[in-house]
Amino acid sequence: MPAAKDLAQARILYRNLRVLAALSVVFLGALAIAPAKEHLT
Amino acid sequence: MSVRDWRAVPGDDARAEPVRLLLVQEEERPAVDVHEEDMLMTFPHLVVRELIALLVLSLALVVVSLVFDAPLEELADPRRTPNPAKAPWYFLGLQELLHYYPPLISGVILPGLVVVALIVVPYFDVNLQRAPFWETGRRRKLGGVLGVVAGLTALFMWSGAHPVWPLIGPTWAVGAVVLVPAVFGTQGRLRHWLGVRSLSFWVFTWFLVAAIVLTLIGVFFRGPGWSFTVPWTDGIYY
């Protein structure tokens, strides 16, 4: 049985990994949109 | 009793008269507040957070570049060069120094000395205890401060093409503040605070103030031909 402290750290890490994944998607989207800026405005 | 106070006396015989010595090494670490904390591995816990920070910053830059256009001027024309031609603001302190000294000194030697100082400082015994400057030898240090201020004033007054007031001014200002606790005593919170500052604090304060003054003058007080201008009447040249 892992200690409560380790579990808490694992949860934080899991949450951060999800944040990282979401941000990566947003970032790739921004990179895809940026060159099309001329057509947006 | 510290190690330095202990000495062997002729006739001491460890076999005849055993003596236990407890040697305590003097504290010689920089004065930082340290307390034990729980530890985590750098990977993945920290690296993931750093990647998040990297992505957030990159995204912010992408959004800014999408929303605002860069403040570019018209195409460069070699027949119409801008006057004054100013570097980015963070270089204008060096450009201001170019007004007084030849490029080799202003652009190479002085910045080089700063970098060299930053590299070698950790290898010297630089006041690790951070003792208050005025703690000991008040009269001697009073003369020392006045001597250094006078010496730097003479150096900056006559070594350049013009008197380097952006360096003389900070030298006098910082010198005056250093002298306050020695001349007027250390009553009151502010004077006490000044009184317990270390020499390294004052040296770096001088460097910081000089750099800021040089940069401010370069940014706001220099116009065509690097002439002295005042921003509230002549405007800001950039």
Side-chain angles (χ1 to χ4, degrees):
Chain A
M1 196 60 193
K5 217 161 53 180
D6 294 338
L7 265 181
Q9 284 303 339
R11 283 204 188 90
I12 292 172
L13 179 62
Y14 182 52
R15 188 203 63 194
N16 282 344
L17 280 170
R18 277 183 300 173
V19 171
L20 186 62
L23 275 173
S24 305
V25 173
V26 178
F27 185 68
L28 289 175
L31 281 188
I33 290 174
K37 190 204 165 190
E38 250 77 295
H39 308 292
L40 292 177
T41 50
Chain B
M1 181 165 118
S2 83
V3 183
R4 291 188 193 111
D5 301 327
W6 185 85
R7 54 178 50 80
V9 179
D12 278 356
D13 187 349
R15 279 162 303 184
E17 206 179 327
V19 178
R20 268 178 209 276
L21 278 176
L22 177 65
L23 302 182
V24 182
Q25 186 70 35
E26 257 183 84
E27 186 73 58
E28 285 198 342
R29 289 179 300 174
V32 287
D33 296 324
V34 177
H35 54 96
E36 293 290 327
E37 287 176 346
D38 294 337
M39 283 191 283
L40 279 176
M41 300 304 282
T42 303
F43 181 86
H45 298 274
L46 176 65
V47 173
V48 165
R49 290 173 187 217
E50 286 174 343
L51 283 176
I52 290 174
L54 179 75
L55 274 187
V56 168
L57 184 65
S58 306
L59 270 173
L61 286 174
V62 168
V63 170
V64 167
S65 64
L66 281 173
V67 175
F68 302 104
D69 287 326
L72 294 177
E73 297 169 25
E74 68 272 22
L75 280 175
D77 181 355
R79 289 163 301 174
R80 286 196 306 120
T81 51
N83 184 15
K86 285 197 178 182
W89 69 267
Y90 46 85
F91 277 140
L92 285 185
L94 284 177
Q95 199 175 342
E96 172 69 13
L97 268 184
L98 274 174
H99 184 56
Y100 307 95
Y101 295 111
L104 180 67
I105 295 178
S106 297
V108 181
I109 293 180
L110 287 180
L113 279 179
V114 172
V115 174
V116 168
L118 288 176
I119 293 173
V120 301
V121 155
Y123 295 100
F124 286 88
D125 182 17
V126 275
N127 193 21
L128 287 177
Q129 278 84 26
R130 281 198 290 181
F133 180 60
W134 292 112
E135 199 175 51
T136 55
R138 188 172 153 278
R139 291 187 69 85
R140 191 170 51 83
K141 284 179 179 170
L142 208 62
V145 170
L146 290 173
V148 167
V149 169
L152 286 178
T153 302
L155 177 71
F156 296 134
M157 190 69 86
W158 291 298
S159 63
H162 319 274
V164 195
W165 289 109
L167 292 181
I168 297 172
T171 305
W172 287 356
V174 173
V177 177
V178 172
L179 290 175
V180 163
V183 177
F184 299 105
T186 53
Q187 312 92 328
R189 279 181 61 182
L190 178 64
R191 274 186 244 167
H192 173 76
W193 187 85
L194 292 175
V196 295
R197 294 301 100 186
S198 62
L199 177 63
S200 52
F201 174 89
W202 292 118
V203 171
F204 195 76
T205 302
W206 176 84
F207 173 74
L208 205 58
V209 173
I212 290 173
V213 168
L214 279 170
T215 304
L216 285 179
I217 289 181
V219 172
F220 294 111
F221 293 89
R222 291 300 182 180
W226 214 250
S227 58
F228 190 82
T229 57
V230 277
W232 45 89
T233 54
D234 307 314
I236 300 170
Y237 292 88
Y238 55 89

